[in-house]
Amino acid sequence: MSIVGISGSLSNPSRTTALVDLIVGRVADGAYAKREVVTVGDIAPSLGLALNPKQLPAEIGAAYGKLVSADVIVVGTPVYKGSYTGLLKHFFDLLDPKALHGKIAVLAATGGSDHHSLVLEHHIRPLLSFFGAHTVPTTVYVKDTDFAKEEGGGYRLNNPDINARIDIIVEQALWLLRRDAVQSKAA
Ligand SMILES: Cc1cc2nc3c(=O)[nH]c(=O)nc-3n(C[C@H](O)[C@H](O)[C@H](O)COP(=O)(O)O)c2cc1C
């Protein structure tokens, strides 16, 4: 079993990647699963040049492979100009429309202000619905001020209310995983 995150951030260090990492870790702990996070910033040069889904660079194919074989995916993006990042959209634009059908998907976003929290419902959920993913009902939007900078330079979530919301999300994702397991046994 594996839990795979995709962070749409171009930054390093990144608040979004820290958030995705945290959620992936908590779901994976609850499911005794392997965990991995793919960051579009890390694959940006090859992703930006990729135009043809039938001729993908190995790095992009490998990232798709991880997502497609995951039991739960965690999709996180910083808000850029009121939406997900362009590179995250390009990542999904090149992916086979059937690739994530029935996949459990947790949705997360970060932003500088309160104004764009509905990006999760208006942009990210519809994108995952296009793929036929089963999106977890509760989502999480985290403002920059809810992160603390770590000594090593990374970011750490610093708001207990957000942590409590993530607990609810993890519970919902694990419930969906158990339901999938029951259904595949019955089939
Ligand atoms: C190009 C750009 C556009 C942004 N647009 C928005 C925006 O429309 N609304 C918002 O709340 N924050 C916006 N932000 C702030 C980021 O969403 C926020 O700082 C986020 O936490 C950055 O995540 P990261 O650390 O993973 O890069 C923008 C940042 C950048 C660099």
Side-chain angles (χ1 to χ4, degrees), residues 9 11 13-17 78-82 110-113 116 141 144:
S9 181
S11 314
S14 155
R15 298 169 189 84
T16 314
T17 306
V79 177
Y80 275 12
K81 305 291 192 283
T110 62
S113 70
H116 295 122
Y141 179 82
D144 289 356

Side-chain angles (χ1 to χ4, degrees), residues 64-152:
Y64 287 154
K66 288 171 192 166
L67 231 61
V68 169
S69 61
D71 298 277
V72 177
I73 61 171
V74 178
V75 181
T77 183
V79 177
Y80 275 12
K81 305 291 192 283
S83 186
Y84 33 61
T85 62
L87 215 49
L88 183 67
K89 183 63 162 58
H90 189 54
F91 179 82
F92 282 114
D93 284 348
L94 293 173
L95 182 59
D96 179 343
K98 297 191 188 81
L100 301 179
H101 190 84
K103 188 84 65 197
I104 300 166
V106 173
L107 313 179
T110 62
S113 70
D114 280 327
H115 302 302
H116 295 122
S117 58
L118 281 174
V119 70
L120 285 154
E121 299 303 332
H122 294 169
H123 296 253
I124 305 172
R125 201 187 297 278
L127 177 63
L128 272 296
S129 295
F130 166 85
F131 283 100
H134 296 163
T135 55
V136 169
T138 302
T139 61
V140 62
Y141 179 82
V142 188
K143 274 200 306 182
D144 289 356
T145 47
D146 291 323
F147 289 94
K149 196 105 196 225
E150 292 195 305
E151 269 183 30

